[in-house]
Amino acid sequence: MRMSKRIAGNSFTKKLLAGAAFGIGLTLAGQAGAVEIEYWQYIFDTRVKAMDQLIGKFQAANPDIKVKQTTFPYADYQTKVSAAVAAGNGPDVVQLFYGWLDGFVAAKLIQPLPKDVFPGAAIEADFFPIVSAMKRGEDYYGLPTAVRSLALFYNKKLLADAGLDPNTPPKTLDDLVTMAEKTVKRDGAGNITSEGFALDMAGQDHQWWREVLVRQFGGAPYAEGDRKVTYGDAAGAKALAFYTDLQLKQKVGQLGFMDEAQAAFKAGKATFTIDGTFRLGAFSAIKGFEWGVAELPANAQGVRSNYASYFANAITAKAEGEKKAAAAKFLAYLSSPEAMEVWLKVVGELPARRAVALTDANLANPIHGPFLAGLTNAHTTMFVDEAAQRQITMDMVNRVLLQGQSPADAVAAAATAEQALIDRVTKK
Amino acid sequence: MHEAPATPGTERRAGRLSDRLTLSAKRVLWAWLFLAVPVVFYGAIRFWPTAEAFWISFTDWNLLRPAQFVGLDNYRRLLADPLFWKVFANTFLYLILGTPVSLVLSFAIAYHLDRVRFLHGFLRALYFLPFLTTAVAMAWVWRYFFQPVPIGPINNLLASLGLPAQPFLRSTLQALPTILVPAVWAGMGFQIIIFLAGLRAIPTSYYEAARIDGLSERAILWRITLPLLKPTLVFLVVFASIGFLRIFDYVYNMNTNDPGGPLDSTKPLVIMIYQTAFKSYDVGYASAQTVVLFLILLAISLLQLRLMRQPT
Amino acid sequence: MTALSKARPGRVVAWTLLFLGGIVMVTPILFMFSTSLKDSSQVFDLRLVPAEPTLDNYRTILEDGRFLRWFLNSLFIAVLATVSNVFFDGLVGYTLAKFRFPGRRLVFLAILSTLMIPTEMLVIPWYLMASRFGWLDSYWGIVFPGLMTAFGTFLMRQFFETVPDDFLEAARIDGLNEFTIWWKVAMPLVTPALSALAIFTFLGNWTAFIWPLIVSTRAEMFTLPVGLSSFSVEQSVAWEMIMTGAAIATLPTLLVFLVLQRFIVRGVMLAGLKG
Amino acid sequence: MATIALEKLVKRYGPATIVQGIDLSVAEGEFVVLVGPSGCGKSTTLRMIAGLEDASEGVIRIDGRVVNQVEPKGRNIAMVFQNYAIYPHVTVAENIGFGLYTSKLPKAEKQARIQEVARSLGLEALLDRRPAQLSGGQRQRVAIGRAMVRNPSAFLFDEPLSNLDAQLRGQMRIEIKRLHQKLGATSVFVTHDQVEAMTMADRIVVMREGRILQIGAPMELYERPVDVFTARFIGSPTMNLLPGALASRDGADGVALEDGDAFVRPPIALVGNRAGGGGPKVLLGVRPHDLLLKAAPDSAAFTLSGTVAVVETLGTETLVHVDIGRRSVVGLAPGRIVPSPGQRVTLAADPAALHLFDAATERAFPRPLLQQP
C-alpha cells in the first residue's frame, strides 16, 4: 500500500510540475504554444509506417497539436505501459489489445472516452459489434482503427505440386485434411520436410480452436460473458481431437516445425496455415511467393465461425485539460474513415467501421474478401489474462501430443484450469 | 633543510586541525570518507530492496492495485501451486545434472590439458572461447542447432546417418537436458581455467615424492591431486551450483514460443519469478518466490562455508 | 613435432582427444559465423564454409541502425560499470584491508552478506525503485544496480591485504594524503587484480540480460543481448539474420580475447583463486 | 639537523601495553640504534616518532616542538623500511622523487635533487630502470635515496637490512654508516640484530617488553651490561653464565660456583650476606672471548676445567664448548690450536673480565671499568 501511495504521490507531484511547466510554457510561448501529446504502440513495421502517415495528416489539419509516436516491442508491451503510466511518464493516447481492457481500467490507466466527441449511439451504429468489448457500463474506453479476423492461408505452389488446383482452397474441414494429406512431404525416415497444415498453438490456432472448432463440433467455449468455461465437454474433446489428429493421425503437421507456423508458411514449407490479417504485409513482402486466402473452412454441416480481435486506441488517465482535448481530437481522427482506409492500405487490417469495410470493392478483393466474410460470423473472446488463457490451451494440446493424454481428459483439465484462472482474476 | 617553508597561514590552520584530532582519528575519518558513498549505495541498492522484497512477499500487490498485507498467503499459495513444485523440481534438475556433468568434464579436460605442452595455449583458447560469448546469442545458436528437420543441423545430421530425428526442445523429457547443453558448454571454459590454476598451485615436489614412492598415476590423482584441489573444487561446485540454480538466459531465449518449455518442462524458478512479476504483475506472489530462491541459495552458501572450514 | 613424436603414445591420444574436444567446443561459434555469411537460400546447406559467402546480412542489420545503437548502449554501460567498479570496489577493498577503524568488521560483513542475496530477488524492488524515480528506460536505470559489487570489493580486499604496509607508510611519510596514497601507490600495486576485476565486470555487464530486459522498454535503450533477443523473436526463423545478430554480439569479446589472451586467462585464474 | 626527545612515551593496543613509558633523547647528528628481540616495542617507538602511530601517553618532541598530533609530513623526517617500500610500477628516478611529491619545488630543481642523490648513492646509471631490474642492495639504496632527497631533519630506519643476505648486510651497514658520517643526520635505527647495533650506533638503546633496559655507547654496553638480558643480548657468542652463591672462603669474599669447586674473587664490590656457604645466589658471567684455553694458567686467573664437547672452527679462532659438571661453557682456543672432543682442558679468564649478577633480580653488581694492561 505504502508503495503505490508513493507512486501515486510521485505522479501527482509530476502532474503539478507538468502543470506548472505548461503554464509557464503558455505565458512564454503565447500563440506558438502547440500542445504535444504522446502516442504509444508496439513495433510492427507496417503499423508504425501507417501511424507516421496518419500523424502527418493529422498534424497538417491541426497545426496546434503535435503528436509524438513512441514504439517498443510487443513482448512485455502491457507491463511497460502500466509501469510508465503508473510512474507518470506514459503516453496520452495508447494502443491496447481489447483483452487487456479490464486490467487497464482497474489500474486507472485509461479514462472513458468523452461522450461529446464519441457518443455511444453513433459508435454502435457505425462500428462492427465487436467494438462493444470496449464498453464498460455506459462508457466506451477506446476505439479501434481496424479489426482483424482469421482466414486460411494456402500455398498455391505446393497445391499445384500435389496435382491440386491452386485456386480451389478447401471449403470444409474434411477438405482441409484431405488436401493437407496430399501435400505433406516427408523424408525417408518419415520426418516431415514440408507440412500439409502448419500447427502452432502459440500463434492463432488457440483462437481457432476456442472460438471456431469448439463451435463447429457442436459446443460453446464460454458462457456468462466468457466468465464460465463450457468447452470441457464431449464437443470440446472432439474439437481437440480433430486438431491433435492433424499431427498424431494424419501426420500432416508437427508442432514446432520450423519454430512457428507463419515461418514455415513463409519459407514455403507449409501448405496451409491459419493466421490473421496482420500477417498480410509480411507475406506480401516475399518476392515470387504465391499464396492465397480463403475463409476458414466450415464443418460438414456448413457451420462457420471466426475470431475477431483488435487493438483499440484509448486516452490515458494522465491526459488532462488541453492535452485531453487534443488526445480526443487525435483519437477521433484515428477512428475516422480516412484513417481506416490508410490503415487498410498500409497494414492490411480491416476497417472497424462497417461502411468503410463492407464496400463492394473490399468484398470482392481476393485477400480482404475472405477476412471480411469471416468478420460477419466472428466471435471475440473476453479474456481476463490473454497470455495465461493461451498458455492453458497450449498446455492442453501438448498433453495430448507429447504425453499421450486423451483429448477428453486434456480438455477437461484445461477447462478446470481456465475456470480457476478466471475466478481468481475476476474475484480480486 | 631545503624544504620550502609552509606559509604561516596554512601552518596555523594545519596546526589547529591537528590540535583537535589525533593521527588515528584522522585515519578513521579518511576511512569513513572513503566508505561514505559505498555505504549509502549498499544500503539503498542492496539492503533496502532486500527488506522490500521480504515485505512485498507478504502483500497481494500487483502493480495496478494498492498493496494489502496478506500474511503468509503467498507462501501458502506457493506450496499449493503445482507449477511451483514442477519448477522447483526443474531447478534442482538443472543443478544435479548440470553441476556434476560440467565439473567432471572440465576436470578431465583440465587434468589432461595441464600435461600437454604442444600447442597448449591454442588448445586452452579453444576451450575458453565459449566463456566469452553472450548467453543470449548462444542460446539462439543452440536453438537453431536443435530445430527439427529441415532446419536443425543436428537433426539433419541424424537424418543423413539414418537415425531417427529427436524432438529436443519439443519434448517434455528432452527439453531440459537440451537446454543444459549450451549452459554447460558456456560454463566449462571458466571451470577449466580455474582447475588449471588449481592444478598449477600444487607443488611439483608432491608429485615427485609420490613417484619416488612408486605410486601409480591413478593413485596420485586420487590421493594427491584431488585432495589438494579441494578448495578449488568447493569453489567451483558452489559457483556452478548457484549458476545452474539461477539459470535464465538460455531458458528464456531457447523457448520463446512456449516460455518454460512444453508443459513447463524446462521452466526454472527464475523464469517463474520473471513471468509472475513482469507478465502477470503478481508482484507479491513473485516476491515470495524470490524469497524461496534466496533461502535455497543461502543454504548452498552456508554449506560452502562448512565445507571450506573442514580441514583437508 | 619432435616433441610430439618423442611423447608416449598415451600422450598423443590424449592430445588428439583434447584437440577434437576443442574443435567441438568452438563449432557452435564457427557455425554461427558461417551461417551469418550465408543468404537465406543457403541456410540449410550445412557446410561450414559457405558456398557463396556474403556480407549482406551484416549490411542489412547495420543499415537497420538498431544494432549499432544497441552495441553502443552495451559498450557505454559496460564501460561505465567497469570504471565504477574499479574505482569503488578498489576504494572499499583498500579501506577494509588497510584501515583499522570502528565499524570495519560490520561494514565488511555487511558487504559480504550481499553476496548471498540473489539479484533475482532484488529485480522487483529495483524495478519499483526505477519506476518511482523515473529511471526506467535510461542508462542510469540499467547500470545503477551494478555500480559496485561485493564480489569485486572482496577480491580487491584480498589483494590489498597482500600489499605490505611499508609501501603506504613510506608514502604517508612522504606527505601524500590518504586518497593520493590509495590512487597513486596502492592501486598501481594491484594492477593484475584490477584487470581481473575489469574483465569480469565488463564481461558481466556486456552479457547481462535479465535486468536490462526488465528495465528497458524502448528499443533505443536496449542493450545488445536484449536487442538481440527481441530481434530474434521478431525475425522468427530468418536464422541467417539471427546468427548475424548473434555474431555481432559475440564478436567484440572474442576479438578482445584474441588480442589479450594471456592477460585475460591470468586475470580469470587470479580472480577464481582469490574470489 | 634535529633533536628527538621522548618523554614517558606509552603505546597501548587495547589491553596490551606495547611501550611502557620510555624516556629517550637523541642529540643532533647522533646515530641511535634501538635494539631488542621482536615484540620489545622498538618498531612501535620508531613509528610513533615517525607519526605513523599515535602515542597513547607521553610526549614526542622534534627540535623541542611537541609533534604528537602532527602528520608525518609535518615532522620533516624520512623513513627507510624493511621492505624498501620502493614502488614496482615507477622508475628508480620516480621512486626517489616520491619523497618530493608534496614539495613545491620547481620541476628542474626536483630533477637536480634526484640526480644529486643518485650520484651520492651510485644510482645514476639506474635512474630509468624499474625496481624489478635491481638487486637487493640497489633497491635498498633507492629506498635510502628516497629518504635523502628531501633533506629531512632526521632519518628513521625500520630494520632496513633484514631482507638482505649476510654479505650484503655487512656491506650496507658500512654504507649507511658512511652516509651518516657524511650527512651527519640525526638517525634512529631499529634492529633486532646486535651486530648491527654494535657496528653502527653512537648509542644503543636496549629494549625489552616495552621498556628501556640500558642506553649507552656500544663498548659501554659490552663492558658494563646492567643486567643479564643486556649481557647476553650484546656480544657474540653469548656470555657464559654460571650459577653460584656469594661465599667466604679462607677469610676472603668470593663466589662459589655450583659446578665444580671453583671459588673466585672477582674485583667487584660484593654486597650482601655471605656467611658460610649459603649466601645470596648469583650468576657469574664471562664472555667466551675472555675465557681462553690455556695449558698453564697463572695462579691469579679464574679457571674452569672440563671435557671438550664440541669444537667450532671459525678459521681465525676456534670456539670450544666445554662440559663442566652439568653445564657447558664456551671458550676460545687462540691461534690455530684445535682441541679434540673428549680432551680434558682448562679455560682461564682474567678475574677483571668477570661479570656478576644477582640471580634473583638479574641486575649486575657494579663493576669498575676494565683497565687495559
Side-chain angles (χ1 to χ4, degrees):
Chain A
M1 190 167 332
R2 186 178 37 130
M3 243 53 85
S4 16
K5 255 188 202 155
R6 235 188 242 171
I7 289 178
N10 190 22
S11 75
F12 180 66
T13 45
K14 281 215 168 160
K15 263 181 231 161
L16 274 183
L17 283 175
F22 182 66
I24 293 164
L26 265 187
T27 48
L28 286 181
Q31 75 280 12
V35 186
E36 186 181 287
I37 56 174
E38 204 172 324
Y39 176 76
W40 282 18
Q41 70 165 339
Y42 67 87
I43 296 176
F44 194 96
D45 198 28
T46 52
R47 302 176 79 92
V48 176
K49 272 185 201 147
M51 189 50 67
D52 282 340
Q53 281 189 31
L54 293 180
I55 289 175
K57 288 186 181 178
F58 176 73
Q59 287 182 160
N62 299 277
D64 54 333
I65 301 174
K66 262 188 70 83
V67 182
K68 186 178 158 225
Q69 183 181 199
T70 300
T71 58
F72 34 81
Y74 181 70
D76 309 331
Y77 177 77
Q78 194 183 353
T79 325
K80 314 278 182 187
V81 172
S82 326
V85 172
N89 52 10
D92 301 290
V93 179
V94 66
Q95 194 173 69
L96 72 151
F97 190 63
Y98 78 92
W100 301 339
L101 182 66
D102 283 334
F104 274 60
V105 170
K108 301 197 169 61
L109 295 179
I110 55 176
Q111 50 180 309
L113 301 183
K115 289 203 179 64
D116 50 336
V117 190
F118 304 96
I123 293 174
E124 275 143 40
D126 296 342
F127 285 75
F128 281 109
I130 53 170
V131 169
S132 64
M134 297 308 290
K135 194 176 180 186
R136 293 291 179 277
E138 285 307 304
D139 293 320
Y140 274 90
Y141 279 85
L143 279 179
T145 304
V147 295
R148 33 175 52 176
S149 59
L150 300 180
L152 181 72
F153 287 74
Y154 57 94
N155 181 318
K156 293 188 177 175
K157 184 171 170 296
L158 290 177
L159 286 176
D161 286 352
L164 298 166
D165 176 8
N167 293 313
T168 313
K171 298 233 160 27
T172 64
L173 294 175
D174 291 341
D175 286 353
L176 175 68
V177 173
T178 335
M179 289 170 84
E181 280 177 316
K182 282 191 180 145
T183 51
V184 66
K185 293 177 194 162
R186 304 190 182 89
D187 67 8
N191 301 320
I192 292 182
T193 56
S194 179
E195 288 180 308
F197 180 87
L199 295 132
D200 188 353
M201 221 43 192
Q204 296 303 312
D205 286 3
H206 71 105
Q207 318 276 25
W208 183 45
W209 179 83
R210 206 187 277 113
E211 292 289 359
V212 182
L213 289 180
V214 169
R215 291 176 201 277
Q216 288 178 324
F217 282 87
Y222 302 100
E224 300 173 12
D226 292 359
R227 291 298 170 262
K228 192 167 162 48
V229 180
T230 52
Y231 60 67
D233 56 8
K238 266 192 263 172
L240 178 58
F242 169 82
Y243 185 79
T244 50
D245 281 352
L246 291 171
Q247 173 168 337
L248 295 176
K249 248 192 214 135
Q250 292 98 21
K251 296 193 168 74
V252 295
Q254 185 191 333
L255 214 57
F257 179 84
M258 294 195 78
D259 235 38
E260 284 178 37
Q262 58 101 358
F265 188 76
K266 218 156 73 176
K269 297 207 181 280
T271 318
F272 300 110
T273 183
I274 286 172
D275 220 322
T277 32
F278 42 85
R279 203 65 74 186
L280 292 171
F283 292 163
S284 319
I286 304 172
K287 267 180 251 155
F289 181 32
E290 285 189 57
W291 49 275
V293 183
E295 210 182 336
L296 290 184
N299 69 0
Q301 291 76 41
V303 174
R304 287 182 188 276
S305 176
N306 207 312
Y307 165 78
S309 65
Y310 50 89
F311 272 83
N313 295 306
I315 301 173
T316 65
K318 177 193 153 211
E320 275 173 9
E322 290 248 346
K323 287 206 178 208
K324 184 177 172 183
K329 234 181 192 173
F330 183 56
L331 188 57
Y333 177 69
L334 291 184
S335 322
S336 70
E338 182 187 332
M340 290 178 183
E341 270 160 20
V342 170
W343 205 263
L344 177 65
K345 224 182 292 162
V346 180
V347 187
E349 287 191 330
L350 310 170
R353 284 176 186 267
R354 271 194 273 234
V356 188
L358 302 172
T359 61
D360 289 343
N362 283 346
L363 286 171
N365 183 304
I367 288 172
H368 298 140
F371 284 107
L372 283 170
L375 213 48
T376 52
N377 48 36
H379 296 84
T380 296
T381 317
M382 299 298 288
F383 290 112
V384 293
D385 182 343
E386 196 240 1
Q389 284 168 287
R390 178 178 59 183
Q391 189 67 48
I392 288 168
T393 348
M394 284 162 67
D395 289 350
M396 170 184 78
V397 168
N398 275 333
R399 274 198 206 92
V400 178
L401 292 183
L402 303 178
Q403 295 186 322
Q405 204 175 30
S406 76
D409 291 349
V411 88
T416 314
E418 189 168 349
Q419 188 64 59
L421 172 78
I422 291 172
D423 289 348
R424 203 183 69 236
V425 175
T426 49
K427 219 172 272 167
K428 264 196 185 169
Chain B
M1 285 269 191
H2 294 285
E3 186 77 339
T7 60
T10 57
E11 181 73 46
R12 211 177 307 133
R13 241 180 290 130
R16 237 181 282 149
L17 186 73
S18 46
D19 283 350
R20 252 176 282 133
L21 294 172
T22 61
L23 297 169
S24 56
K26 274 178 255 180
R27 212 71 56 75
V28 170
L29 262 177
W30 273 108
W32 281 105
L33 186 70
F34 286 174
L35 292 180
V37 174
V39 161
V40 170
F41 175 87
Y42 279 102
I45 309 295
R46 302 275 165 179
F47 286 104
W48 170 249
T50 307
E52 213 174 3
F54 274 102
W55 159 251
I56 298 170
S57 79
F58 296 113
T59 70
D60 65 352
W61 196 25
N62 68 354
L63 276 192
L64 306 179
R65 273 177 284 246
Q68 270 184 344
F69 183 77
V70 294
L72 289 170
D73 273 10
N74 286 323
Y75 295 93
R76 261 180 235 124
R77 182 176 155 201
L78 203 57
L79 293 180
D81 188 344
L83 177 63
F84 170 71
W85 292 108
K86 173 77 187 154
V87 159
F88 195 77
N90 286 342
T91 308
F92 274 91
L93 264 180
Y94 282 114
L95 171 73
I96 60 171
L97 291 178
T99 308
V101 166
S102 69
L103 287 180
V104 167
L105 274 175
S106 301
F107 179 74
I109 291 164
Y111 180 74
H112 288 106
L113 198 57
D114 188 40
R115 299 151 160 247
V116 159
R117 294 278 146 263
F118 180 66
L119 289 182
H120 175 87
F122 170 71
L123 288 181
R124 192 181 58 189
L126 290 183
Y127 285 97
F128 188 61
L129 224 46
F131 176 65
L132 298 165
T133 56
T134 306
V136 174
M138 286 306 154
W140 283 88
V141 173
W142 283 93
R143 175 174 171 167
Y144 168 53
F145 274 35
F146 287 120
Q147 288 296 310
V149 176
I151 309 178
I154 295 178
N155 267 324
N156 276 321
L157 190 71
L158 290 177
S160 67
L161 295 174
L163 296 168
Q166 297 301 316
F168 295 124
L169 294 164
R170 277 295 306 158
S171 150
T172 47
L173 268 184
Q174 292 178 4
L176 192 143
T178 302
I179 285 176
L180 263 176
V181 170
V184 166
W185 169 82
M188 269 170 62
F190 176 74
Q191 294 170 358
I192 290 171
I193 294 292
I194 299 297
F195 269 131
L196 278 175
L199 287 170
R200 295 270 162 82
I202 300 174
T204 46
S205 56
Y206 289 14
Y207 295 119
E208 286 157 2
R211 290 209 181 91
I212 288 169
D213 291 347
L215 265 71
S216 68
E217 289 295 310
R218 179 179 295 262
I220 291 176
L221 171 64
W222 284 99
R223 299 236 197 113
I224 295 176
T225 312
L226 284 174
L228 286 174
L229 215 53
K230 189 183 156 187
T232 311
L233 266 171
V234 172
F235 167 75
L236 283 180
V237 167
V238 172
F239 196 83
S241 304
I242 290 179
F244 284 116
L245 285 175
R246 291 169 57 184
I247 190 165
F248 179 80
D249 298 7
Y250 284 103
V251 191
Y252 181 95
N253 284 289
M254 287 177 78
N255 263 321
T256 45
N257 301 343
D258 190 351
L263 297 173
D264 302 312
S265 54
T266 66
K267 190 178 281 179
L269 198 46
V270 182
I271 292 267
M272 185 182 183
I273 292 169
Y274 175 79
Q275 288 182 331
T276 314
F278 299 103
K279 295 279 179 192
S280 313
Y281 329 114
D282 214 341
V283 179
Y285 191 36
S287 291
Q289 294 160 15
T290 66
V291 169
V292 170
L293 180 72
F294 166 68
L295 293 177
I296 296 172
L297 293 178
L298 187 69
I300 300 254
S301 304
L302 293 179
L303 198 68
Q304 168 196 24
L305 281 180
R306 267 196 82 160
L307 286 175
M308 282 293 205
R309 280 198 188 145
Q310 264 169 20
T312 336
Chain C
M1 286 316 258
T2 47
L4 198 61
S5 50
K6 263 190 236 157
R8 283 178 289 141
R11 284 285 163 85
V12 178
V13 172
W15 192 92
T16 313
L17 285 176
L18 278 176
F19 177 75
L20 292 177
I23 296 300
V24 170
M25 287 295 278
V26 291
T27 303
I29 301 173
L30 295 179
F31 219 96
M32 168 182 75
F33 283 117
S34 152
T35 309
S36 75
L37 298 173
K38 295 173 181 174
D39 68 25
S40 57
S41 66
Q42 304 172 64
V43 170
F44 307 125
D45 171 3
L46 296 179
R47 271 177 296 186
L48 203 55
V49 179
E52 296 166 49
T54 165
L55 286 171
D56 278 358
N57 300 329
Y58 288 89
R59 196 170 306 133
T60 312
I61 273 189
L62 293 177
E63 271 169 9
D64 180 323
R66 282 181 296 169
F67 262 84
L68 186 66
R69 173 76 194 224
W70 297 337
F71 183 92
L72 293 175
N73 287 349
S74 274
L75 190 68
F76 177 71
I77 281 153
V79 167
L80 188 64
T82 306
V83 169
S84 169
N85 270 278
V86 164
F87 185 88
F88 284 111
D89 294 356
L91 189 62
V92 177
Y94 171 78
T95 310
L96 292 178
K98 290 296 174 193
F99 281 83
R100 326 230 133 237
F101 57 93
R104 185 176 84 121
R105 214 178 137 67
L106 183 74
V107 172
F108 175 66
L109 288 178
I111 292 177
L112 197 63
S113 71
T114 64
L115 277 177
M116 310 235 176
I117 306 168
T119 43
E120 288 77 12
M121 185 174 188
L122 301 175
V123 289
I124 297 170
W126 283 343
Y127 182 79
L128 304 174
M129 185 183 278
S131 90
R132 225 176 284 155
F133 297 125
W135 298 343
L136 293 175
D137 254 339
S138 69
Y139 290 125
W140 173 251
I142 299 173
V143 87
F144 84 87
L147 288 175
M148 300 173 210
T149 60
F151 167 78
T153 306
F154 189 63
L155 184 78
M156 295 314 297
R157 178 180 163 275
Q158 299 278 84
F159 275 94
F160 277 122
E161 290 206 320
T162 65
V163 171
D165 286 341
D166 288 2
F167 283 125
L168 316 174
E169 296 186 333
R172 217 160 271 151
I173 289 197
D174 287 340
L176 276 66
N177 71 38
E178 296 297 330
F179 183 83
T180 321
I181 292 173
W182 166 68
W183 184 245
K184 289 270 183 176
V185 176
M187 287 292 266
L189 289 173
V190 294
T191 320
L194 288 178
S195 54
L197 176 64
I199 290 163
F200 269 91
T201 314
F202 189 90
L203 259 185
N205 282 279
W206 181 263
T207 59
F209 181 59
I210 183 164
W211 175 244
L213 172 74
I214 291 167
V215 77
S216 54
T217 52
R218 301 179 198 201
E220 306 98 84
M221 290 313 298
F222 283 177
T223 59
L224 207 38
V226 178
L228 177 64
S229 183
S230 82
F231 172 83
S232 301
V233 170
E234 168 194 314
Q235 291 286 322
S236 76
V237 288
W239 288 106
E240 72 286 357
M241 297 308 281
I242 295 173
M243 293 300 114
T244 310
I248 290 175
T250 314
L251 209 54
T253 46
L254 293 191
L255 286 180
V256 170
F257 173 68
L258 290 180
V259 178
L260 301 174
Q261 198 205 137
R262 280 179 178 282
F263 199 61
I264 290 176
V265 169
R266 199 187 56 197
V268 172
M269 282 184 171
L270 270 176
L273 286 185
K274 292 267 180 179
Chain D
M1 293 311 119
T3 61
I4 299 171
L6 311 180
E7 295 161 19
K8 304 226 164 0
L9 198 60
V10 174
K11 179 66 187 179
R12 273 187 288 266
Y13 287 119
T17 309
I18 305 298
V19 175
Q20 319 219 16
I22 61 171
D23 291 286
L24 175 70
S25 69
V26 180
E28 238 177 64
E30 196 180 13
F31 198 110
V32 168
V33 176
L34 305 184
V35 68
S38 61
C40 71
K42 57 187 189 300
S43 277
T44 309
T45 306
L46 189 76
R47 291 163 58 80
M48 284 192 281
I49 299 174
L52 294 172
E53 305 262 2
D54 277 315
S56 305
E57 280 172 33
V59 175
I60 304 162
R61 289 177 197 278
I62 294 178
D63 269 342
R65 180 170 71 119
V66 177
V67 294
N68 283 43
Q69 297 186 3
V70 175
E71 290 282 339
K73 63 177 165 186
R75 304 185 183 199
N76 193 27
I77 36 98
M79 188 157 166
V80 179
F81 291 85
Q82 184 172 356
N83 294 322
Y84 325 135
I86 55 173
Y87 305 133
H89 60 283
V90 295
T91 62
V92 167
E94 286 168 302
N95 260 298
I96 294 176
F98 245 98
L100 298 172
Y101 196 89
T102 50
S103 88
K104 295 177 186 74
L105 292 177
K107 246 198 170 131
E109 183 148 349
K110 282 187 185 176
Q111 282 308 317
R113 198 77 78 76
I114 292 167
Q115 287 290 342
E116 181 192 319
V117 167
R119 198 175 319 121
S120 72
L121 290 169
L123 293 170
E124 290 157 293
L126 308 174
L127 279 176
D128 293 329
R129 299 243 182 118
R130 297 265 164 162
Q133 299 163 285
L134 304 183
S135 69
Q138 286 167 334
R139 284 184 212 187
Q140 189 59 73
R141 245 177 278 155
V142 174
I144 294 170
R146 179 174 150 173
M148 277 169 62
V149 75
R150 261 192 306 145
N151 284 336
S153 49
F155 282 96
L156 308 178
F157 296 88
D158 190 6
E159 307 214 20
L161 306 181
S162 56
N163 280 359
L164 302 175
D165 61 49
Q167 199 186 351
L168 204 53
R169 201 180 305 169
Q171 201 180 314
M172 286 306 295
R173 279 205 304 257
I174 298 161
E175 245 174 85
I176 292 175
K177 182 87 184 160
R178 187 177 295 160
L179 203 67
H180 174 250
Q181 281 160 2
K182 194 169 97 187
L183 300 172
T186 310
S187 302
V188 180
F189 189 106
V190 161
T191 180
H192 62 269
D193 181 351
Q194 58 93 17
V195 179
E196 272 172 32
M198 291 295 282
T199 50
M200 300 173 77
D202 294 332
R203 271 199 303 158
I204 297 177
V205 178
V206 182
M207 291 184 69
R208 186 191 182 197
E209 287 170 359
R211 290 202 170 82
I212 293 177
L213 296 181
Q214 190 170 5
I215 303 177
M219 278 319 285
E220 197 183 334
L221 258 61
Y222 187 77
E223 295 296 354
R224 302 163 69 87
V226 297
D227 61 5
V228 171
F229 178 81
T230 313
R232 292 179 58 87
F233 194 77
I234 302 291
S236 172
T238 310
M239 178 188 282
N240 295 303
L241 287 170
L242 301 162
L246 294 185
S248 294
R249 198 177 284 184
D250 306 334
D253 293 342
V255 175
L257 294 183
E258 275 179 22
D259 293 290
D261 58 351
F263 182 79
V264 58
R265 277 178 292 145
I268 295 168
L270 300 176
V271 214
N273 177 16
R274 58 208 86 97
K281 295 211 180 301
V282 293
L283 292 167
L284 185 76
V286 55
R287 294 198 184 274
H289 283 90
D290 292 330
L291 195 60
L292 304 175
L293 191 89
K294 274 205 176 122
D298 60 64
S299 58
F302 163 68
T303 58
L304 289 165
S305 295
T307 18
V308 175
V310 180
V311 173
E312 288 182 79
T313 50
L314 300 172
T316 51
E317 55 192 29
T318 301
L319 295 177
V320 186
H321 295 249
V322 178
D323 287 342
I324 294 155
R326 284 165 298 153
R327 261 159 249 283
S328 177
V329 296
V330 184
L332 199 69
R336 293 190 163 77
I337 299 164
V338 180
S340 46
Q343 197 181 328
R344 257 198 96 74
V345 293
T346 300
L347 298 165
D350 181 345
L354 296 179
H355 301 255
L356 197 60
F357 304 92
D358 184 320
T361 63
E362 299 205 334
R363 301 294 298 174
F365 284 78
R367 182 168 176 267
L369 269 177
L370 194 66
Q371 277 117 36
Q372 295 297 325

